Amino acid sequence: MTLPDPPPFITRDRRRSVAAAAPMHHSLAPPPAGPTPAAPSAALLAGTISEGTPAVPAGRLVVHEPRPVPNEFGPADVAERVWLNAAALQPRALVAVTSADGGVGRSTLVAALGGLLALAVPEPVIAVDMVPAPWGGLGVRVGRQNRATVWDAVENLGELTSRNEVEQWVQRGPSGLLALVGETEGRQRRPPRHDEAAALADRLRQLFPVTVCDLPPAVTGAVWRVLAAATAPVLVARASTDGLRHALRLLTHLTAAGYARVARDCVLVVMATVPSTPRQVRAVVRQADDIAGAVHEVPYDPRLVQPEPVDPRQLRRRTRRALVHVADAVLQRCAAGRPALAAPIEERAGCH
């Protein structure tokens, strides 16, 4: 039996196009107050790069030939747009994923969305666990092939000058997602502090076309600043009235604190934990549409509930379609102007 498409209210996005203007690159540093020079990068603030060190030049826009859309993913028009936008990304695209509460499926979404992006983006996509506490959330959802963690990357930050140096510390998900997973030890090996994680994220976005940050809950100004620096801020909420209200309250606080752009552009992803979503939850989701930039629901899927690596190709059809809509919203915020495909471009690269 063919399952119906998700209801239209869970796939609404107020930003259906991305301006073709020159992309802006935000650092993870606190925003400057008033008309001051550009803020230093988070790596400079963390003390890992001296002020006299030449900055890494911004990479030129490289437009790849889009990869073929796998048969598992639809709807066809949305999936095609996802794969096209994945081939024309702004340099240094940063996807920041957080939540108002813990235990809402944030790392699960990072692994599922990152795994789908890894299939669509012609170059490697990397995810990084930025939670400053010993736990194994992202590692469980991506899979472990070795003992390397984000701690190894932080400890060797000065040597991470190419993808090869980074990839010696990564884990690889079932669909090709690279991940610097969280450290579970607490003594000689430890989770990174926020400044260390921010410096690492700044370095990764210089080397990879897309960096997906698995952030802790947004209860500190440091996490808010990462959301403000992100190309695509993503907020995860549990599909419950309390979970959604906490998420909406967070968006309201962000707006009041001067982060209106984050709330306006935020992709709110509602993770269902039971097969049927209560009617009152759907009513709150409709309210969220007036605050967040896009609202999408990922339906209940037994494979997402199990503590095992996530392969987006193996999820239920409805779940795959929902993830395609989430990826569409994220990549519309990350993709450079599509006219670059038709006009002369600085570089053209084939698929990897």
Side-chain angles (χ1 to χ4, degrees), residues 109-322:
L109 179 69
V110 168
L113 174 62
L116 192 152
L117 295 179
L119 293 170
V121 177
E123 296 184 83
V125 174
I126 190 165
V128 55
D129 191 328
M130 295 180 65
V131 178
W135 80 312
L138 186 58
V140 171
R141 308 311 277 163
V142 172
R144 300 287 297 271
Q145 298 86 43
N146 54 65
R147 294 186 65 252
T149 69
V150 66
W151 166 250
D152 297 291
V154 167
E155 193 176 33
N156 296 277
L157 181 64
E159 302 174 10
L160 303 184
T161 58
S162 71
R163 292 177 187 171
N164 287 337
E165 277 79 20
V166 176
E167 290 180 7
Q168 65 180 315
W169 307 120
V170 303
Q171 310 298 328
R172 298 176 185 270
S175 63
L177 174 67
L178 307 181
L180 292 168
V181 301
E183 178 57 65
T184 57
E185 301 293 333
R187 296 181 181 177
Q188 294 179 343
R189 299 175 63 88
R190 59 173 176 78
R193 301 187 307 269
H194 176 78
D195 59 334
E196 295 171 328
L200 175 61
D202 263 356
R203 182 64 57 85
L204 294 175
R205 70 191 301 192
Q206 295 172 14
L207 302 174
F208 293 86
V210 183
T211 301
V212 185
C213 295
D214 186 358
L215 294 165
V219 296
T220 66
V223 176
W224 291 17
R225 289 192 292 271
V226 177
L227 290 174
T231 322
V234 178
L235 180 61
V236 184
R238 186 186 296 108
S240 66
T241 53
D242 285 344
L244 282 165
R245 284 170 180 161
H246 290 167
L248 296 184
R249 192 176 298 117
L250 171 61
L251 293 177
T252 302
H253 290 332
L254 285 167
T255 301
Y259 295 95
R261 200 276 306 178
V262 175
R264 183 178 63 249
D265 289 353
C266 178
V267 179
L268 176 59
V269 181
V270 183
M271 301 288 287
T273 57
V274 293
S276 178
T277 303
R279 182 177 303 175
Q280 58 269 30
V281 172
R282 296 184 179 274
V284 181
V285 171
R286 292 189 181 93
Q287 296 176 10
D289 187 59
D290 296 328
I291 301 176
V295 182
H296 300 276
E297 181 181 2
V298 175
Y300 172 81
D301 192 312
R303 291 183 179 272
L304 293 182
V305 176
Q306 299 299 321
E308 59 187 24
V310 177
D311 186 342
R313 296 166 296 188
Q314 301 301 319
L315 300 174
R316 288 180 172 180
R317 180 172 179 267
R318 285 190 64 197
T319 312
R320 295 196 306 267
R321 293 172 74 91

Side-chain angles (χ1 to χ4, degrees), residues 21-86:
M24 297 177 60
H25 304 299
H26 304 276
S27 81
L28 305 188
T36 58
S41 69
L44 179 60
L45 293 180
T48 55
I49 300 179
S50 65
E51 193 166 355
T53 304
V56 179
R60 292 188 298 168
L61 174 62
V62 179
V63 181
H64 294 268
E65 291 288 349
R67 285 179 167 178
V69 180
N71 294 331
E72 295 93 339
F73 296 101
D77 56 338
V78 180
E80 182 179 1
R81 184 168 63 234
V82 167
W83 261 253
L84 285 173
N85 283 336

